[in-house]
Amino acid sequence: MDNSADIYDANLCRHLKKAATVQPFDLAVAVQKYIKGSYQYQELNFAELETKSNKIAYALTEYGIKAGMKSVLMVTPSIEFFTLTFALFKAGIIPIIVDPGMGLKNLKQCFAEAQPDAFIGITKAHAARRLLGWGKKSIKLYVNVDSPIEAPSFRTAKSLLTGAVNLSSLLECYSPFEDTKPEFPINWLRADDMCSILFTSGSTGTPKGVVYSHRMFEAQIDALKNDYKIESGERDLATFPLFSLFGPALGMASIVPDMDASKPITANPTHLFAAINQYQCSNVFANPALMDKLGQAGEARQQKLPSVKRVISAGAPVSIEVIKRFSQMLNTEARVINSYGATESLPVSMFASDELIMTSSLTDSGAGICVGRPVSGVTVSIISITEDNIKTWSDGLALPANQIGEIVVSGQMVNQSYYRRENATLHSKVFDPTTKAMRHRMGDLGYFDDDGKLWMCGRKAHRVDSVIKRYYSIPCERIFNTHPSVRRSALVSVKINNTITPLVCIELEQSLACSHASVLYSELITLAEKFETTSGITDFLIHPDFPMDVRHNAKIFREKLSVWAQKKIG
């Protein structure tokens, strides 16, 4: 940490303000809608985004949502999502951003923990809020994000349904004063002040509120500029709402395709290809499952994406096969970049596809997945596996190369605490007396090789400590995934004769039946004995359809599989 604790000069909106001055008429946001067989696009340039977010900031503050208050923001990727988010940042209002795909029960818990003062959302979100009682103990101000072109009677009905004032009505109420008001004054914060709460998806555990500061956002912007080489004037196909916000901050246009951002796997590839071609996107952000879907569609129709020079994948490890298939659509100089990180620290490391492909044989032999080298400004260490809290960091905790342990990261983009989750903070954060900042325990296991590259071996919670040896999820599973009948596998822990035993659940390739399970199991046992990583694994079960996380469709709910497997074996 630096000595700027009492300097109020931080706000992400400074980048938008700069872009609105330097490149006012350049495209900032475009939102695609597929209506009656044709594509329609709503657009804003940087000057318009700056002006509209100023107006909304005035309207919200005059309505009573003031600096320092917390507001839920549940708006689908749209023009309003961008204008509202930047308005909240400008006004110093703390947006609470959740993933709708986490489930209704988790959403209610998140709002209860965050204790928001306001709720800004679309009509559907407000209806759910009223029906399920989200945040009813703390929320006092409600804003419904409606369309200003709707008939007054329809807008009135929406207001009655949601119990909220319509955003269009707020803007109309304060519009007579627009000409007399100066540009909205940015609410400057200290670099480490809380400026947003982002809840983790819950795909690897209970959702937790990650406290974001402007220092974190600034560090992420620096990484995108310096490590990913994103430049002003580029255009990005934005399939993930949070990443799309970095577009305007980078002077890059965010092109939002017509898709359900909470369920990317359901996206229509035709819509995404059309958006890329319409705006000649140079950057594409897609998780591995979406990359796979686009790659398969591209291969089937011989699709080419000549404008794309960079594809960024995050959320889960992307396979070599998916990269190779997707790359068929790209020019030879285009890069596919696999990013490793988490909501608490993103990015941590990155690895380009050409290098990743060279590690595939090691991955298939149980070495884990190589996630590259740390990005600029991030320090990564490996510590011994323990469930104990670690209060204070010392360099003696770090393990040497080629020893598997828990991944610990430090740097400007590492968050310092969870919101109102003291136990989670104590378990995941380690105070570094040298930097006076927290290091973050990723909850992932991995190691450094002799060349300084980081390898990932799966979640700490997913290891299996048997009486014989310790097994790691990703190294084991990647070996079994090489069998031609296996679509994917999952290492779980079960008890057999009261002894913790590794068992591997198998999901078959879709074209195969499980009529010869005993033959498959025998072949998998033989395969397991070829590698030290998997030797000793003799128990397998075929599962018809793995439970997966909604957003990434790549994170397997091993906890559910473990319960299922235990019941199956009695």
Side-chain angles (χ1 to χ4, degrees), residues 541-556:
L541 284 174
I542 293 173
H543 189 282
D545 188 19
F546 280 4
M548 309 290 291
D549 71 297
V550 174
R551 176 176 291 285
H552 301 295
N553 199 46
K555 296 180 179 179
I556 301 168

Side-chain angles (χ1 to χ4, degrees), residues 198-436:
L198 277 60
F199 274 88
T200 60
S201 65
S203 57
T204 58
T206 304
K208 298 181 289 290
V210 178
V211 175
Y212 261 62
S213 66
H214 282 292
R215 186 189 297 276
M216 288 183 65
F217 281 125
E218 292 286 356
Q220 290 171 328
I221 291 170
D222 287 344
L224 292 171
K225 287 180 180 178
N226 300 329
D227 293 84
Y228 292 80
K229 308 300 181 184
I230 293 177
E231 299 177 345
S232 176
E234 289 198 45
R235 293 181 172 183
D236 168 55
L237 184 78
T239 64
F240 178 49
L242 181 60
F243 185 84
S244 68
L245 292 174
F246 288 113
L250 290 160
M252 174 175 65
S254 291
I255 313 302
V256 182
D258 190 346
M259 61 177 281
D260 183 348
S262 67
K263 299 177 182 178
I265 193 63
T266 64
N268 185 333
T270 301
H271 297 346
L272 277 66
F273 293 147
I276 292 171
N277 290 327
Q278 173 73 22
Y279 289 98
Q280 291 297 286
C281 293
S282 57
N283 191 77
V284 172
F285 185 94
N287 70 17
L290 182 56
M291 274 189 65
D292 188 23
K293 186 168 187 176
L294 293 176
Q296 291 188 42
E299 186 176 58
R301 64 185 77 176
Q302 295 298 297
Q303 178 77 44
K304 297 297 179 183
L305 303 173
S307 66
V308 175
K309 66 179 185 181
R310 183 192 314 100
V311 181
I312 301 174
S313 181
V318 59
S319 71
I320 303 297
E321 294 75 17
V322 169
I323 289 175
K324 288 181 177 179
R325 187 184 298 115
F326 192 96
S327 296
Q328 293 174 10
M329 297 187 287
L330 308 176
N331 291 327
T332 54
E333 64 272 16
R335 303 173 73 207
V336 177
I337 302 173
N338 190 26
S339 294
Y340 168 65
T343 307
E344 295 89 341
S345 181
L346 185 67
V348 168
S349 66
M350 56 183 286
F351 208 31
S353 54
D354 53 347
E355 293 182 280
L356 182 62
I357 288 171
M358 294 173 64
T359 68
S360 61
S361 60
L362 291 174
T363 294
D364 289 345
S365 300
I369 296 175
C370 188
V371 292
R373 292 180 173 84
V375 299
S376 303
V378 172
T379 299
V380 180
S381 303
I382 308 297
I383 65 172
S384 297
I385 300 171
T386 177
E387 302 300 331
D388 296 336
N389 295 343
I390 302 174
K391 186 176 181 179
T392 306
W393 175 263
S394 68
D395 291 341
L397 291 170
L399 296 175
N402 298 306
Q403 286 195 31
I404 297 175
E406 184 175 6
I407 300 170
V408 180
V409 300
S410 64
Q412 302 277 309
M413 68 272 289
V414 175
N415 107 295
Q416 299 296 290
S417 67
Y418 294 107
Y419 192 66
R420 291 180 174 161
R421 281 292 191 90
E422 184 177 351
N423 287 338
T425 297
L426 288 172
H427 186 68
S428 298
K429 308 298 177 184
V430 184
F431 179 72
D432 188 333
T434 302
T435 62
K436 301 295 189 290

Side-chain angles (χ1 to χ4, degrees), residues 12-25:
L12 186 66
C13 292
R14 70 183 184 88
H15 297 284
L16 174 58
K17 184 179 179 66
K18 178 182 178 181
T21 302
V22 175
Q23 52 190 105
F25 304 115

Side-chain angles (χ1 to χ4, degrees), residues 78 83 101 111 143 166 184 194 213 236 284 291 294 306 308 349 357 367 420 456 481 491 523:
S78 58
T83 55
F111 297 140
V143 178
N166 288 324
F184 189 89
M194 178 170 65
S213 66
D236 168 55
V284 172
M291 274 189 65
L294 293 176
V308 175
S349 66
I357 288 171
R420 291 180 174 161
M456 228 270 280
N481 290 353
L491 174 73
E523 293 173 351

